[in-house]
Amino acid sequence: MSANKQSALEQLGFSAYRPLQEEAIDALLNNRDVVLAAPTGGGKSLVYQVAGLAKEGVAVIVSPLIALMKQQVEFLNLKSVQARFLNSTLNPGEQDDLTWSIRHNHIKFLYLSPEKLIQPSVIGLLQSVDIALFAIDEAHCIAQWGGYFRPEYNQLGQIKQLFPAPPIVALTGSADKTTLNSINQSLNLHNSLLLKGSIDRPNLQLQVAQKKQAKQQILYFLHHEVAGLSGIIYCRSRNSTEQLSQWLNQLGFSSVYYHAAMQDEAKNSSHKIFSEQLGTIMVATTAYGMGIDLPHIGFVIHMDLPSSPESYYQEIGRAGRNNQSAKTLLLYGLQDMIKAQQLIALEARDYFTEAQRLRDLFAIIESRQCRKQSLLAYFDEEIEECGYCDRCRAKQKEHNVTIAAQKLLSLIYHTRGTQAFSTLIQVLLGKRVKATKNIQAEKLSLFGQGKELSEAQWKSVIRHLLAFEYIQLENTQVFFVRLTEKARQILKGEAQLIVANDFYYPRLSESELSNEHLAWHTVSAWRHRKSVPLSDVQLRKICQHKPKNAASLSRLVGISLEEVNHFAESLLVLLHQEQSTSVLQ
């Protein structure tokens, strides 16, 4: 290990490398390009930080988010490393000062957005100084956004042409081989070193469940599994984030919301509260998340379906950055799958690519095997059963529904794919309702021939057929479903359709969330903030009896008065504060 590399590592506060870090650093020090895929929280930033410190010149870091730039700059400055960011938040005078500092070699790390990097004035500035390396953070955006949402990502291939000498390192937290190759080609890298470590996060506990009264399911999760922890609830719509956050606050939880349409001041305020006040719940769209590296996030809930396996893994990867156990919950149903496909049809620029990624996600969540195995297999990684996802902890009964699937596929064929799934189910159940009367369903041979399954079970069959591409929703303005070539295998009996019983996550109503329950949340959050060594049993007793002084608290929990005095004051104030300022009353 060279002296420069060793001293750089120590200056950043580390004594040893994680897997792949040193290999990537050595390649950069030898001016070789690197594409590195490692798990979120896996120390990818250390690669360009050590290499940047060990090489001459300024290290240029391309990042998609201002919040991430600020976070990295603050970290480096605390380590006595000269780092600055160049973005739209700087006024002209500050930009002039920064330019002067760069030209006079006073800056070691420069953070900027792809939009900023491709500006001619910035390119001219960088061509006038020595460059140690370029680092492209969140590089999967090249594959996901390059053509439309962030078109500047598509232009990052200019870097190698304009700056052929400095090495480039592209970093991503989750990418399959196709995406890694896309990153490599888009950046015009030659003879690059592709490093892909295990992206498994063993401390993440995955749960996927059918959505049924989702808000009440979330309440159960917050109370029984993650009481007092900070976490993120992801929603698709901006209105949903505001409404859900307000509802949680009305119930006595501490919650903020975040979405792209908010003013920057409001966004910064929500992020600041969530970052600093442990026990706060962030309700957000996907506008919040990329690059957020907070160690205290203990859970992630998906109220709506993510858009792809990459998005799902990136988003749940916000939790457990402190390597402590963290929990995730994804709630969905057939209607969510349909809505997700409709949104892609309306919004996607590359419909076929994004629709396929969404179908890949469907296949993962509809798979009967271990959740971790299904998800990581998408990223070309094989693992043993995790043992703690909902599939592993409670093996669901499985059923052969091939005959039922044949009936449904035949009905889709005979109704020319124009009838909604809800109508098809009513036909199979023999229901004489408006939707079936409108199409004279009683004349169909399959009317009433599907009573062996309940409505919920029929929805499970449809989800499975969608997920494994026996049927597909077409990209049209009106509902239209078609049979694929794979459907022939089911219809001819050449393939079997096996589904597992649906898992419905438990519910907790607002009325059941009593004062004692809210006390439990507040006291649990206090315990996490103060790092007080009280067990769940002791906390439950405290919430139930609400001791009024340190002596009674000591007797209640069986801890010496001397030890109790270290934390009694703040806990007693919390327990007995007035109703107007407390969720405990």
Side-chain angles (χ1 to χ4, degrees):
M1 185 182 298
S2 70
N4 282 345
K5 190 171 70 172
Q6 179 63 42
S7 62
L9 182 68
E10 293 173 355
Q11 183 177 354
L12 294 168
F14 298 91
S15 58
Y17 292 107
R18 294 182 185 181
L20 304 182
Q21 284 180 330
E22 189 169 15
E23 190 175 353
I25 291 167
D26 287 341
L28 292 172
L29 294 181
N30 287 315
N31 292 322
R32 185 179 180 186
D33 300 326
V34 176
V35 178
L36 172 62
T40 50
K44 296 184 292 297
S45 57
L46 187 71
V47 170
Y48 64 73
Q49 289 169 353
V50 169
L53 282 174
K55 287 173 66 71
E56 294 294 327
V58 60
V60 179
I61 318 302
V62 182
S63 172
L65 292 178
I66 291 176
L68 180 57
M69 295 182 204
K70 291 181 177 178
Q71 191 178 43
Q72 292 285 339
V73 167
E74 288 172 2
F75 168 78
L76 289 170
N77 289 340
L78 286 173
K79 300 297 181 180
S80 300
V81 177
Q82 293 298 317
R84 297 279 299 276
F85 55 78
L86 175 60
N87 58 41
S88 58
T89 65
L90 301 182
N91 61 45
E94 290 172 327
Q95 292 192 35
D96 289 342
D97 290 343
L98 178 56
T99 298
W100 185 91
S101 296
I102 294 170
R103 291 190 187 279
H104 290 80
N105 302 317
H106 293 171
I107 302 298
K108 192 59 182 169
F109 288 87
L110 177 66
Y111 286 78
L112 37 69
S113 68
E115 290 86 352
K116 204 72 174 175
L117 175 63
I118 65 171
Q119 291 180 1
S121 60
V122 175
I123 290 173
L125 170 64
L126 296 179
Q127 287 178 325
S128 70
V129 298
D130 290 333
I131 303 295
L133 58 85
F134 285 93
I136 314 298
D137 210 358
E138 307 288 351
H140 56 276
C141 296
I142 294 171
Q144 294 178 9
W145 292 351
Y148 47 98
F149 181 56
R150 296 288 287 268
E152 291 77 13
Y153 265 93
N154 225 20
Q155 300 179 44
L156 293 181
Q158 298 179 38
I159 297 176
K160 184 53 70 175
Q161 298 170 346
L162 297 170
F163 303 89
I168 296 175
V169 55
L171 307 147
T172 180
S174 60
D176 57 9
K177 289 179 180 177
T178 301
T179 302
L180 291 179
N181 288 330
S182 175
I183 292 169
N184 199 54
Q185 293 173 8
S186 297
L187 292 175
N188 293 315
L189 306 184
H190 304 288
N191 190 35
S192 61
L193 177 64
L194 267 65
L195 296 173
K196 187 177 184 299
S198 171
I199 63 169
D200 184 23
R201 295 278 303 284
N203 62 322
L204 291 183
Q205 299 180 21
L206 274 58
Q207 293 186 88
V208 179
Q210 287 303 292
K211 183 186 288 185
K212 188 174 184 179
Q213 294 182 303
K215 289 166 69 173
Q216 281 64 48
Q217 290 174 311
I218 287 173
L219 277 189
Y220 188 97
F221 183 80
L222 294 177
H223 175 63
H224 288 283
E225 297 209 42
V226 293
L229 294 179
S230 297
I232 304 174
I233 303 177
Y234 281 113
C235 303
R236 267 195 180 270
S237 80
R238 297 165 181 175
N239 286 339
S240 295
T241 65
E242 297 185 19
Q243 293 169 3
L244 184 57
S245 178
Q246 290 166 3
W247 177 72
L248 289 171
N249 283 323
Q250 289 168 3
L251 291 176
F253 295 92
S254 173
S255 173
V256 294
Y257 61 87
Y258 190 109
H259 57 70
M262 294 167 61
Q263 296 294 321
D264 287 343
E265 185 178 351
K267 289 180 183 176
N268 293 336
S269 175
S270 289
H271 175 65
K272 181 178 176 62
I273 292 171
F274 182 62
S275 302
E276 297 177 358
Q277 297 182 17
L278 300 190
T280 301
I281 299 167
M282 170 67 80
V283 187
T285 64
T286 55
Y288 188 81
M290 186 185 297
I292 300 301
D293 188 10
L294 300 174
H296 62 271
I297 299 176
F299 67 89
V300 170
I301 300 173
H302 279 90
M303 186 87 158
D304 297 300
L305 282 172
S307 59
S308 68
E310 290 91 348
S311 297
Y312 177 50
Y313 203 56
Q314 288 280 338
E315 287 156 19
I316 63 174
R318 307 302 161 213
R321 295 292 184 96
N322 56 3
N323 292 320
Q324 299 297 310
S325 177
K327 297 186 177 184
T328 74
L329 175 64
L330 169 62
L331 299 171
Y332 80 106
L334 174 59
Q335 197 57 39
D336 294 276
M337 295 172 71
I338 296 170
K339 183 179 179 181
Q341 291 210 204
Q342 290 172 336
L343 285 173
I344 285 180
L346 289 172
E347 300 173 359
R349 300 291 183 90
D350 185 355
Y351 172 77
F352 294 104
T353 299
E354 293 191 44
Q356 184 57 56
R357 283 195 177 121
L358 184 63
R359 288 193 291 268
D360 290 338
L361 178 69
F362 291 169
I364 289 168
I365 60 180
E366 283 292 322
S367 169
R368 291 146 46 213
Q369 69 181 133
C370 163
R371 300 291 186 191
K372 273 285 188 71
Q373 281 186 328
S374 299
L375 182 56
L376 292 178
Y378 175 82
F379 297 105
D380 309 307
E381 185 171 337
E382 295 182 9
I383 64 166
E384 298 293 325
E385 289 189 350
C386 71
Y388 45 77
C389 70
D390 62 276
R391 287 277 194 244
C392 290
R393 285 189 288 112
K395 296 291 186 182
Q396 301 293 318
K397 290 183 179 179
E398 297 181 345
H399 304 279
N400 189 321
V401 293
T402 306
I403 294 176
Q406 289 172 341
K407 293 178 182 178
L408 179 65
L409 293 171
S410 297
L411 187 56
I412 292 172
Y413 177 79
H414 286 298
T415 56
R416 302 179 184 276
T418 60
Q419 298 305 310
F421 290 128
S422 58
T423 301
L424 298 177
I425 292 173
Q426 298 304 316
V427 171
L428 290 164
L429 292 176
K431 296 291 183 69
R432 291 174 173 82
V433 295
K434 183 177 180 180
T436 58
K437 289 178 180 178
N438 286 343
I439 62 171
Q440 299 181 316
E442 292 181 58
K443 296 181 179 180
L444 297 172
S445 61
L446 285 165
F447 185 78
Q449 297 302 305
K451 295 180 180 179
E452 71 273 19
L453 299 184
S454 67
E455 183 174 343
Q457 288 171 323
W458 275 114
K459 288 180 180 179
S460 177
V461 173
I462 295 170
R463 295 198 322 266
H464 208 78
L465 290 172
L466 278 172
F468 294 98
E469 301 184 51
Y470 294 102
I471 58 177
Q472 280 187 3
L473 291 175
E474 290 295 281
N475 179 19
T476 58
Q477 295 297 317
V478 296
F479 181 90
F480 182 75
V481 59
R482 70 174 182 86
L483 307 185
T484 68
E485 283 298 314
K486 285 184 67 176
R488 295 179 183 273
Q489 301 171 13
I490 297 290
L491 289 168
K492 292 181 178 181
E494 298 171 352
Q496 301 290 300
L497 200 68
I498 312 294
V499 299
N501 279 358
D502 285 339
F503 169 48
Y504 287 91
Y505 193 79
R507 291 165 286 171
L508 180 69
S509 69
E510 291 96 322
S511 60
E512 292 174 305
L513 193 71
S514 65
N515 288 341
E516 182 182 327
H517 288 170
L518 289 175
W520 169 240
H521 283 277
T522 306
V523 174
S524 295
W526 167 85
R527 176 178 60 177
H528 291 301
R529 287 196 303 271
K530 301 291 186 180
S531 298
V532 175
L534 290 173
S535 69
D536 284 357
V537 173
Q538 290 170 321
L539 281 185
R540 294 283 186 191
K541 287 182 178 180
I542 292 170
C543 292
Q544 182 180 358
H545 297 285
K546 295 185 175 63
K548 295 183 178 180
N549 54 55
S552 58
L553 176 59
S554 172
R555 290 191 297 271
L556 183 66
V557 298
I559 297 177
S560 70
L561 183 59
E562 181 182 4
E563 189 173 349
V564 163
N565 279 331
H566 290 300
F567 58 80
E569 182 178 357
S570 62
L571 177 56
L572 293 173
V573 168
L574 189 67
L575 285 169
H576 300 289
Q577 57 188 312
E578 294 181 0
Q579 182 172 354
S580 61
T581 59
S582 173
V583 299
L584 300 180
Q585 305 301 313

